[in-house]
Amino acid sequence: MFTTRPEILGTFGVVTSTHWLASSAGMAMMERGGNAFDAAVAAGFVLQVVEPHLVGPGGEVPIVFHSARTGKTEVLCGQGTTPAAATIERYKAEGLTLIPGNGLLPAVIPGAFDAWMQLLRDHGSLPIAEVMAPAIHYAQNGHPMLPRVANTIAGLKDFFEREWPTSAAFFAPGGRLPEAKKLFRNEALAATWKRIISEANSGGGSRERCIERARDAFYRGFVAEAIERFVQSNAVMDESGNAHRGIITAADMAGWQATYEEPLTYDYHGYRLNKIGAWGQGPVFLQTLALLKGFDIGAMDTRGPDFVHTLTEAMKLAFADREYYYSDPNFIDVPIETLLSDAYNDQRRKLIADTASYDLRPGHIPGYEDQVARMADALDRLSRISTPDQASAEPTMADMRSVRRGDTVHIDAIDAEGNMVAAMPSGGWLQSSPLIPELGFMLNTRAQMFWLEEGLPASLAPGKRPRTTLTPSLAEKDGRPYMVFGTPGGDQQEQWQLQFFLRHVHHGLNLQEAIDMPMSHTAHFPNSFYPRDRKPGNLAIEENFGAATIAELKARGHQMEVAPEWSIGRMVAAARDEDGLLRAAATPRLMQAYAVGR
């Protein structure tokens, strides 16, 4: 099969990410004697510099990884929680019915830095200064600005100058727009990181002790203090049409840390999938596999209407359950065992018909009737509310009408020892909130995923994790760690990952072949992001599926949204065979992602 680029093969190490500079920085860590964890951390920090419209230091990151040393596969939750003042009453007092998708009010505690530091401390091997050196270099000395970043800034220039002057002063100083493919610097961010490293190294001691001081500098030192000063001193315009101050404090940051937890797993055709829990949309992947287990996917043409229709209809059911049942398990009881059980999915599978469904159909679970009824009422009310233009939602790649939309990045890394990491950093976009000049970065807007109504799974509450769309994947094969993979794309992340995975498992496509195949997704269910619209029966599909497949899907009742070829998805993946052969691949879409290795 023809591919756009080779599947990378080697035995020493592989790194793949959504930007070539991040992949190269990660590989450099392995060349210096580091491992896959050092590589992932270095790549993660570089992405904060080179893709600021998709991720920043004020964002978050869930990580799923396998340690060859401990033999364990774990999740590291770098999803920050809501501030102590984040109550429904507090937000309603601002006249809000929905939490806006930009500005300062939607900010939760920045979780990425602590997750990266804990991963480096517990599983990496290199000093913090060495791992952060590539990111500091690109921030201090410049990196070639991506055309999409330049276009995003150009589209926001007037808004920045009118409403967010700190962003205007940095991204368009004196009204001058940065040029694509020219060097762009963030010296304030470089200075922040240099100060963190200086404080980390000031007391001497072990590598681990230095990392602990870096964590303190960010969460209990000058970074937290600067964030509090900025959000309390600045009322900024957001999508509600009014200006608001933020509510996050230094005390909120001081009391939080990233946490390790067991992954949620599901066995499918000799593979075990490891995902984050119901505080994110990770279980949707597993629920869809549980539904598809009753179909002969291997007999379906991967470009054919049966494959697309069956997968789409199964995902509609799984995503409906996401809306009605998922949330932070520290706050509500999520019936995850039932949702993944054979008995439950045997009944749900019967709902998949030959024609497209238009209803949002959650499953019936005894004891949850009141919760389901409240959620249905909330969604019905939302559908009747007139909302502003969708300005902040993470996009589908086929719908980039607004330059203000943000997205996500992804990193996979595997070394010769068998350590493997999948990380999905996001948040803190340049379009999410105004730049904090003292620090050189923006805050996240993840709290927009909460509801300002009591009694719902995702009702706002202090100290609660938003139900994130960020969802990295790690697959075991025949009982051993095998593959890490993921893609940006908000609600589409699970959908594109599933198509990649099924084509690899059932049709024997290698990583690059599976990534290069045409992609599709549905927006049938409510969007996770403000203003949470849905498109019943929607099916977005790349035109290179072919006219016959598209016509048949339309005949089955799908509301077709035909996208140009090479426009949907940003998949990257890496794998390790039983004999130690390493593989890696990256999408050609957007001409940014790259896999490296040897």
Side-chain angles (χ1 to χ4, degrees):
M1 174 180 171
F2 171 80
T3 59
T4 58
R5 55 184 71 174
E7 181 186 52
I8 300 297
L9 302 176
T11 56
F12 178 79
V14 290
V15 183
T16 182
S17 80
T18 50
H19 195 292
W20 67 90
L21 290 179
S23 299
S24 297
M27 194 66 199
M29 296 302 112
M30 292 197 204
E31 298 287 0
R32 295 176 186 176
N35 58 25
F37 302 106
D38 300 305
V41 176
F45 278 101
V46 168
L47 288 170
Q48 293 174 7
V49 179
V50 299
E51 295 200 85
H53 62 317
L54 306 180
V55 67
E60 51 272 318
V61 60
I63 304 167
V64 58
F65 67 92
H66 178 80
S67 166
R69 176 177 57 83
T70 67
K72 294 174 62 177
T73 297
E74 298 180 84
V75 165
L76 182 52
C77 175
Q79 175 56 67
T81 59
T82 51
T87 64
I88 291 175
E89 294 75 21
R90 170 67 175 77
Y91 281 75
K92 282 190 170 182
E94 300 280 349
L96 299 171
T97 56
L98 289 175
I99 299 175
N102 63 1
L104 296 174
L105 267 181
V108 301
I109 296 166
F113 189 85
D114 199 59
W116 289 129
M117 289 299 102
Q118 289 198 49
L119 191 72
L120 184 64
R121 178 196 66 191
D122 299 336
H123 300 284
S125 61
L126 298 177
I128 180 175
E130 190 167 355
V131 172
M132 292 186 67
I136 293 173
H137 169 82
Y138 289 122
Q140 182 72 47
N141 300 309
H143 61 92
M145 176 171 278
L146 294 169
R148 296 179 72 84
V149 179
N151 291 340
T152 299
I153 295 169
L156 285 163
K157 176 177 176 288
D158 291 345
F159 176 78
F160 281 172
E161 290 177 340
R162 186 174 65 251
E163 304 292 352
W164 294 359
T166 60
S167 292
F170 175 70
F171 290 109
R176 300 184 306 276
L177 289 169
E179 294 183 52
K181 300 182 180 180
K182 298 293 186 181
L183 290 181
F184 185 79
R185 296 171 175 82
N186 188 340
E187 293 170 339
L189 178 57
T192 295
W193 283 338
K194 286 180 178 179
R195 181 174 172 183
I196 288 174
I197 291 172
S198 176
E199 294 190 14
N201 293 334
S202 63
S206 66
R207 187 184 71 93
E208 291 77 10
R209 184 69 192 104
C210 291
I211 293 171
E212 286 302 297
R213 285 193 290 266
R215 296 174 69 203
D216 286 340
F218 195 98
Y219 291 92
R220 287 161 288 278
F222 78 96
V223 174
E225 292 165 1
I227 289 173
E228 180 178 293
R229 279 194 301 272
F230 186 82
V231 302
Q232 291 187 355
S233 303
N234 294 275
V236 304
M237 180 63 66
D238 57 44
E239 287 176 317
S240 70
N242 294 300
H244 298 101
R245 287 180 170 82
I247 60 174
I248 191 170
T249 67
D252 291 321
M253 294 186 62
W256 181 87
Q257 65 177 3
T259 53
Y260 288 100
E261 60 184 54
E262 294 295 315
L264 195 62
T265 64
Y266 188 79
D267 293 340
Y268 179 86
H269 288 270
Y271 292 80
R272 170 166 289 183
L273 276 298
N274 293 263
K275 300 288 287 185
I276 66 172
W279 50 271
Q281 70 178 5
V284 166
F285 192 107
L286 309 183
Q287 280 196 251
T288 307
L289 290 180
L291 291 164
L292 294 176
K293 197 161 61 172
F295 295 93
D296 189 357
I297 301 297
M300 298 179 183
D301 177 0
T302 61
R303 291 177 179 261
D306 288 342
F307 178 83
V308 177
H309 174 82
T310 304
L311 182 54
T312 300
E313 294 304 302
M315 288 188 297
K316 289 178 183 178
L317 296 175
F319 274 105
D321 281 345
R322 181 193 73 168
E323 292 305 306
Y324 283 81
Y325 294 111
Y326 291 15
S327 188
D328 186 345
N330 294 333
F331 282 75
I332 72 164
D333 182 21
V334 181
I336 199 66
E337 291 186 6
T338 298
L339 292 171
L340 294 177
S341 68
D342 286 342
Y344 179 81
N345 287 286
D346 287 346
Q347 293 301 312
R348 295 281 279 161
R349 195 177 299 116
K350 296 175 183 178
L351 296 174
I352 299 176
D354 292 332
T355 56
S357 61
Y358 281 67
D359 297 325
L360 195 64
R361 300 178 291 178
H364 173 72
I365 299 178
Y368 287 81
E369 292 85 358
D370 289 345
Q371 177 176 303
V372 168
R374 288 192 299 270
M375 193 68 232
D377 287 344
L379 288 170
D380 181 63
R381 286 193 297 275
L382 180 64
S383 69
R384 291 183 272 110
I385 294 174
S386 176
T387 52
D389 178 54
Q390 303 163 47
S392 294
E394 291 191 34
T396 69
M397 298 312 296
D399 183 12
M400 295 298 296
R401 289 186 295 269
S402 172
V403 295
R404 289 184 290 163
R405 293 171 181 255
D407 201 349
T408 302
V409 297
H410 188 82
I411 306 155
D412 296 316
I414 306 179
D415 60 32
E417 300 302 315
N419 297 302
M420 56 181 66
V421 185
M424 192 78 76
S426 187
W429 314 316
L430 69 87
Q431 61 272 44
S432 65
S433 67
L435 179 123
I436 303 173
E438 193 175 345
L439 300 175
F441 66 80
M442 295 69 62
L443 296 177
N444 63 79
T445 56
R446 197 62 58 170
Q448 66 182 287
M449 297 176 168
F450 287 108
W451 288 80
L452 296 179
E453 297 187 38
E454 300 283 0
L456 306 179
S459 296
L460 179 69
K464 191 174 184 179
R465 288 174 289 187
R467 190 201 68 206
T468 182
T469 53
L470 308 174
T471 172
S473 301
L474 188 153
E476 301 169 42
K477 182 181 181 181
D478 300 326
R480 58 178 179 80
Y482 169 62
M483 180 169 65
V484 281
F485 56 100
T487 175
D491 293 314
Q492 285 69 52
Q493 290 179 23
E494 297 295 26
Q495 303 189 57
W496 299 333
Q497 290 186 65
L498 273 160
Q499 290 174 74
F500 159 81
F501 177 74
L502 294 171
R503 286 162 167 163
H504 179 64
V505 168
H506 289 290
H507 299 90
L509 300 184
N510 71 33
L511 304 187
Q512 193 64 50
E513 290 170 340
I515 286 173
D516 282 359
M517 289 289 285
M519 294 282 185
S520 67
H521 63 261
T522 178
H524 169 83
F525 44 86
N527 194 311
S528 291
F529 295 84
Y530 181 94
R532 299 205 191 98
D533 65 314
R534 65 178 289 250
K535 301 177 182 178
N538 165 265
L539 178 57
I541 186 168
E542 286 184 317
E543 62 184 354
N544 45 329
F545 267 100
T549 292
I550 292 170
E552 174 60 23
L553 290 166
K554 185 176 181 180
R556 296 189 190 190
H558 294 280
Q559 294 295 311
M560 303 300 292
E561 183 179 341
V562 180
E565 62 181 4
W566 308 114
S567 64
I568 290 181
R570 293 182 70 200
M571 281 294 311
V572 297
R576 183 177 188 268
D577 293 346
E578 190 171 10
D579 62 0
L581 180 66
L582 304 180
R583 305 173 182 269
T587 183
R589 295 163 174 91
L590 301 187
M591 301 299 288
Q592 284 177 212
Y594 238 84
V596 296
R598 68 169 180 87

